[in-house]
Amino acid sequence: MLSLAKAFGRLHIQAQGKRCLSSAVTQAVRQTQKNHLEQTRSRREWTAADTEKLEDAVQMHGLAYSYIAKRYFPERAVVTIYSRCKMLFDQSVTRGPWENDESEALRKLTEGKPADQIQWDTIQAQLPRPRTLTDIRMRWFHSVNPRFNRGRWSDEEKAKFTSILSTPMLQHGNWQQVSALMGTRSPRQCLERFRWQVAPTVKGKFTKEEDLAILGAVREFGDADFLKIKTAINSPRSSRHLSHHYRYKLDPAYDRSEWNDEEVKSVYNAYQRLKSMQKVREELNSLRHPKDLWNHYRMEVMRRERLRRKQLGIVTPRRGRRKVEQVEQE
């Protein structure tokens, strides 16, 4: 009788243990999902005052990236300071979006080669324009690497992605791990899909009431931390979505008047000389948003290419032309 009671006690403990384990797994899933939602960081654009402060810091301390980040820009990562310094002070390399001929050259030079056998130094010397090794590797990894699919996600990929996000042991914000489990999508693709397609946030056109709420919050808190603004106005949209909307649509610091042909040509010609849109903006004393400048530069590049092909009698099929435009946008 005593042994039977002991056996029953052991079974009772095991059952309780299973219920606790099930509860722990459920909590882990919820915490993982919560971590994914909270991992979105506030984006901070470089203002003219920030750039001036960075230039003064470099002049005083040299290229001491860690020290400058810690003392002058505690809210920014060291790699952000490094990248900004390279863009501002390194005149030997090309910055900004890749041209089609650069991407095609990179694809041909790496075609059929495993990642661990690619000679990046050799490829760097053979590209049409000088680029940093980091820029070349990143471009290959995100835009050329044959391991990853591009374009629309298949139904199978969507289902697999949803399943991976609910994995209890998935580390907080580890998109490298998510990518490895997916197998067909890069960490950046996984992060972008989560932020824009999976996270339960409102999408679509902003209302007038939302615009007024954002402008009011910016007046009160400034435009450096949109995570704080999201909380202040109790918005269901992501902080990144709010930041983008403000930068591109609401920020009164930028000129959004209609473009004319002369302005487009001046931007095109200046970029051909300077190879830096930031320097173009400074030289032209333009109040246009950098993304606006890039968009119109790209359209002018495409317009000139169409004109050149027309003069040579080259006919581009309509489907092919759309494909070229998609590559340009990437």
Side-chain angles (χ1 to χ4, degrees), residues 45-57:
E45 187 174 273
W46 284 88
T47 63
D50 288 336
T51 300
E52 185 177 354
K53 183 164 72 169
L54 178 60
E55 291 173 344
D56 292 341

Side-chain angles (χ1 to χ4, degrees), residues 47-309:
T47 63
D50 288 336
T51 300
E52 185 177 354
K53 183 164 72 169
L54 178 60
E55 291 173 344
D56 292 341
V58 169
Q59 188 173 3
M60 184 179 301
H61 305 289
L63 297 176
Y65 307 115
S66 297
Y67 179 79
I68 291 173
K70 183 177 180 180
R71 179 170 178 179
Y72 297 94
F73 301 95
E75 75 283 1
R76 297 185 188 272
V78 176
V79 67
T80 304
I81 303 300
Y82 170 80
S83 299
R84 185 66 175 176
C85 287
K86 293 291 285 184
M87 190 196 77
L88 291 174
F89 310 124
D90 190 348
Q91 310 297 323
S92 63
V93 294
T94 303
R95 301 288 171 184
W98 284 56
E99 304 289 348
N100 280 349
D101 60 335
E102 292 180 290
S103 297
E104 183 62 18
L106 180 60
R107 186 188 65 77
K108 289 182 178 179
L109 290 168
T110 58
E111 194 169 21
K113 297 179 181 178
D116 59 351
Q117 295 181 17
I118 297 176
Q119 301 295 321
W120 298 108
D121 292 342
T122 304
I123 289 173
Q124 184 184 38
Q126 297 179 56
L127 289 176
R129 281 171 283 283
R131 295 274 183 177
T132 65
L133 288 175
T134 300
D135 195 8
I136 295 169
R137 290 194 189 98
M138 293 296 289
R139 181 66 178 182
W140 178 84
F141 184 78
H142 291 294
S143 301
V144 179
N145 190 348
R147 170 185 160 193
F148 300 127
N149 294 336
R150 290 172 183 82
R152 288 183 176 274
W153 287 52
S154 66
D155 292 338
E156 292 77 12
E157 286 180 312
K158 293 176 184 177
K160 187 176 182 180
F161 187 66
T162 302
S163 175
I164 290 171
L165 288 185
S166 64
T167 303
M169 301 307 294
L170 187 66
Q171 295 180 23
H172 163 53
N174 190 340
W175 297 106
Q176 294 283 351
Q177 187 181 11
V178 174
S179 173
L181 293 171
M182 279 295 301
T184 59
R185 295 289 175 171
S186 71
R188 179 186 292 174
Q189 288 174 309
C190 293
L191 172 58
E192 293 300 314
R193 176 159 187 83
F194 173 78
R195 283 181 171 172
W196 294 101
Q197 301 295 328
V198 177
T201 58
V202 173
K203 303 178 180 69
K205 188 176 181 180
F206 280 73
T207 65
K208 185 177 181 179
E209 289 74 19
E210 285 182 299
D211 288 349
L212 292 174
I214 293 169
L215 290 170
V218 168
R219 283 193 295 271
E220 182 176 355
F221 302 108
D223 63 357
D225 190 344
F226 274 84
L227 195 55
K228 180 185 291 186
I229 290 174
K230 167 184 167 65
T231 303
I233 65 177
N234 194 28
S235 175
R237 299 180 187 269
S238 70
S239 56
R240 186 184 185 192
H241 196 186
L242 295 173
S243 175
H244 280 197
H245 182 67
Y246 176 76
R247 303 295 181 197
Y248 304 147
K249 298 294 184 182
L250 302 178
D251 192 344
Y254 295 110
D255 177 10
R256 295 186 175 83
S257 62
E258 189 172 343
W259 283 68
N260 57 57
D261 293 342
E262 288 302 316
E263 187 179 10
V264 173
K265 290 177 182 178
S266 65
V267 170
Y268 175 85
N269 292 331
Y271 184 79
Q272 291 298 307
R273 285 189 295 104
L274 301 171
K275 300 301 181 184
S276 166
M277 199 57 78
Q278 178 66 27
K279 293 178 181 178
V280 169
R281 193 165 181 262
E282 292 171 359
E283 180 177 282
L284 300 179
N285 196 27
S286 174
L287 295 178
R288 300 283 187 184
H289 192 282
K291 185 175 182 179
D292 201 10
L293 293 170
W294 274 118
N295 287 341
H296 282 80
Y297 170 77
R298 284 292 191 186
M299 287 190 288
E300 179 65 9
V301 169
M302 293 168 61
R303 186 191 70 80
R304 291 174 181 244
E305 176 62 15
R306 287 195 296 268
L307 180 60
R308 184 189 71 84
R309 295 175 72 86

